[in-house]
Amino acid sequence: MIVGAEEFKEHLGGIQTSLKFGTVEPFIKVAEREFRKAVGVELYDFLNEKEFDSFDDLEKELLGELRNVSEGCVAWAAYDLALPQLKMRVGDMGLMKSSPAQTVAIAKWEYADTRDANMTMVDMHWEFFWELLEEIKPDVWTESEAFKRRNTFFIRSADELSDYVALVGKNRRLFAKLERFIHRGEQLYIRDLITPAVFDALKAKWKSPNEKLSPAELLLVEKIREPLAYLTLHEAYPYLPIKVDENGLRDVRKWDGITNESAAGAEVRNAQRQQLWQDAQLYLGRLRTFMDTASSPNQFQQYYTAVLAAPVEEQEDFTYKSHVIL
């Protein structure tokens, strides 16, 4: 997707000195592989086409912007991958750090701040990419397996999650860690509430490119997302600040040189998690009310049959029987 140093620098804007393309090319290839895996082979190849002749002018403009944003995803991810390596030189004499004349080495906080800013740009480009893709929806995308993977859950991106719980921001890296908890929230709380039959049928249509959801089904997805966002964070909450690896179990704390950040105390964390649970219960109640109101023999029939039209047990008739009724 990115074939030269000038094209690479156009997306970044902050590189003012000479930069050999061979220096960053390995990192660009890694970033492209990650992008290709996320969007699927079909869409990746489609975006690499030179022209979009079969589309009208407006679609060509949108597709051109989509391709530009996709290159931005790759460029910023590659730049962040390369940055730790660019500050060092490795040769026959070992590992060295270059310090040309009239230059000053940056402080630790400046380096950490730059890495954070890089990943913010990566996150923003990815959210712009998904927004444009949802607007255009080319057939090569909707007919791919990658489309089905993206629609695995009813909340599909950091941008969608932040629409319901703004405190998480549009952080793609955080969302990747939350996906397993979205699955947990759907299976533990949502599926049984709306009945497995309704849930499975809705999820099948949600994942299928050839199925169009009805207005009532689209509204149901919205009602599902409201509690699901809070349930996701509630289920993930105990695990987010903990790092587990071969060195053991650690509570992660950040000291970046400008803003000193430390893990929130138990009182604050417990209060916030309790609030997440209370908000989730509020929206679960709204979801249940919606299902009670919208269900009928012709719409969400399985829920109607299981919950609203449950048979009433008939009392035994004791007429003409020799029993004493107290």
Side-chain angles (χ1 to χ4, degrees):
M1 299 179 74
I2 298 175
V3 295
E6 294 304 316
E7 186 179 5
F8 179 64
K9 290 161 68 173
E10 282 178 6
H11 288 284
L12 303 179
I15 301 178
Q16 299 176 0
T17 57
S18 61
L19 177 68
K20 293 181 179 179
F21 186 66
T23 304
V24 294
E25 187 175 13
F27 305 100
I28 293 175
K29 289 181 178 179
V30 171
E32 284 202 17
R33 290 189 191 104
E34 182 185 19
F35 180 84
R36 183 173 179 268
K37 181 179 179 182
V39 305
V41 178
E42 298 86 356
L43 182 61
Y44 175 82
D45 292 340
F46 175 73
L47 290 172
N48 276 324
E49 292 181 5
K50 298 300 181 184
E51 301 294 339
F52 302 108
D53 295 330
S54 60
F55 296 89
D56 60 36
D57 291 340
L58 177 59
E59 289 174 327
K60 285 182 180 179
E61 182 179 350
L62 290 173
L63 287 168
E65 180 63 20
L66 182 66
R67 179 161 53 193
N68 184 60
V69 172
S70 68
E71 290 175 355
C73 293
V74 172
W76 279 101
Y79 179 53
D80 191 69
L81 289 172
L83 197 61
Q85 310 298 328
L86 295 178
K87 67 179 184 290
M88 298 178 294
R89 294 292 181 269
V90 181
D92 294 337
M93 298 179 65
L95 188 64
M96 296 172 290
K97 182 174 72 173
S98 299
S99 182
Q102 307 300 321
T103 62
V104 178
I106 65 172
K108 179 181 177 181
W109 71 263
E110 292 174 307
Y111 176 76
D113 181 65
T114 300
R115 295 292 306 277
D116 287 342
N118 290 346
M119 295 314 299
T120 297
M121 290 298 292
V122 173
D123 291 338
M124 290 179 63
H125 275 80
W126 270 106
E127 295 307 325
F128 292 150
F129 176 82
W130 291 127
E131 288 175 8
L132 276 170
L133 191 60
E134 286 298 318
E135 182 178 352
I136 304 168
K137 283 191 174 179
D139 292 341
V140 69
W141 160 245
T142 57
E143 295 174 359
S144 67
E145 288 298 319
F147 176 86
K148 296 178 183 178
R149 287 200 306 271
R150 174 167 163 77
N151 283 28
T152 298
F153 307 118
F154 286 117
I155 296 178
R156 301 169 297 182
S157 68
D159 187 45
E160 290 182 353
L161 181 62
S162 67
D163 286 342
Y164 301 94
V165 189
L167 61 91
V168 300
K170 298 182 178 183
N171 189 323
R172 179 171 170 260
R173 291 154 291 154
L174 172 61
F175 183 78
K177 295 180 180 180
L178 292 177
E179 284 186 333
R180 70 197 66 182
F181 298 102
I182 296 176
H183 174 72
R184 185 166 165 172
E186 286 186 352
Q187 296 299 316
L188 291 182
Y189 303 99
I190 304 298
R191 189 170 185 266
D192 287 341
L193 190 151
I194 68 175
T195 69
V198 171
F199 180 90
D200 293 344
L202 182 67
K203 179 60 72 74
K205 291 187 70 174
W206 177 251
K207 295 173 66 174
S208 173
N210 300 318
E211 296 282 354
K212 186 176 181 180
L213 271 63
S214 68
E217 289 171 331
L218 288 172
L219 188 54
L220 175 56
V221 170
E222 175 70 17
K223 295 299 181 184
I224 288 173
R225 284 175 165 181
E226 289 176 342
L228 182 59
Y230 291 95
L231 289 168
T232 296
L233 289 178
H234 177 270
E235 294 299 306
Y237 211 87
Y239 303 96
L240 291 178
I242 305 299
K243 183 176 182 179
V244 183
D245 59 20
E246 70 279 4
N247 295 314
L249 186 70
R250 300 189 302 285
D251 188 359
V252 178
R253 297 172 182 265
K254 181 178 179 183
W255 303 87
D256 61 10
I258 299 180
T259 302
N260 293 331
E261 300 180 4
S262 59
E267 183 178 351
V268 174
R269 289 164 58 181
N270 290 337
Q272 189 175 56
R273 192 179 187 217
Q274 183 179 7
Q275 186 61 50
L276 290 170
W277 178 251
Q278 291 175 353
D279 289 342
Q281 295 307 306
L282 169 66
Y283 286 112
L284 282 173
R286 287 164 57 91
L287 173 59
R288 187 178 293 107
T289 299
F290 171 79
M291 291 300 297
D292 290 345
T293 304
S295 298
S296 70
N298 299 319
Q299 183 171 268
F300 309 133
Q301 184 267 334
Q302 298 93 335
Y303 180 90
Y304 179 82
T305 301
V307 178
L308 302 180
V312 179
E313 294 184 6
E314 296 183 1
Q315 295 183 351
E316 186 176 351
D317 186 1
F318 289 97
T319 307
Y320 309 117
K321 294 184 180 180
S322 57
H323 290 79
V324 177
I325 301 177
L326 300 179

